[in-house]
Amino acid sequence: MKLVVNSLLGIGMQAIAEAVALGEKAGLDRNRLLEVLSETAVVAPAHLGKLEKAMKSDYSPQFPLRLMKQGFWLILNLAAAVGAQMPATRVALEVNAAQSSEGQEQDFSAVILEMEKQAHLGSPDNRRTRIAGE
């Protein structure tokens, strides 16, 4: 049961990270975007605190990225054993692993940073400084 629940938790965070990167790339203000997302019914209660912390660029580990990565491996191993297809989990693991390679202990919500990096957005602090300096 834990692996099934963690698959929803991790894939949900991946979906949020992609939505945030898309919104930012389309020109939406990052903090306003995170604020609005946190007020929608489609964001799970387990992710609400993650959005609030992301507004502060706080990715201190509550559920460490390395444990989510380990969970994704276990989920994919279980899926292979029972013959279930998990394409979203496979992609979420890749993004999780890319962010894990940064080396510092972070929360699993730090996949937001990886998706922003893949979208060539730079760090949230640099964007805030650039916007404030314009």
Side-chain angles (χ1 to χ4, degrees), residues 31-54:
N31 282 344
R32 181 70 181 132
L33 174 60
L34 292 167
E35 181 183 315
V36 170
L37 287 175
S38 70
E39 294 172 1
T40 66
V42 297
V43 173
H47 295 115
L48 292 176
K50 306 298 182 189
L51 293 176
E52 291 173 19
K53 291 183 81 159

Side-chain angles (χ1 to χ4, degrees), residues 72-129:
F72 282 145
W73 277 112
L74 293 171
I75 291 162
L76 290 171
N77 285 335
L78 175 61
V82 300
Q85 297 299 311
M86 304 288 292
T89 302
R90 190 169 286 100
V91 171
L93 171 61
E94 291 172 13
V95 174
N96 191 288
Q99 184 60 28
S100 291
S101 71
E102 296 291 316
Q104 61 191 97
E105 184 83 295
Q106 295 176 310
D107 190 74
F108 79 102
S109 60
V111 294
I112 293 171
L113 297 174
E114 179 59 29
M115 292 310 302
E116 290 171 330
K117 185 170 83 175
Q118 289 185 23
H120 306 286
L121 290 163
S123 77
D125 293 330
N126 288 345
R127 288 192 305 277
R128 212 175 287 122
T129 302

Side-chain angles (χ1 to χ4, degrees), residues 13-29:
M13 193 70 246
Q14 176 62 33
I16 289 169
E18 290 181 27
V20 169
L22 173 64
E24 288 182 85
K25 199 68 177 177
L28 299 175
D29 175 74

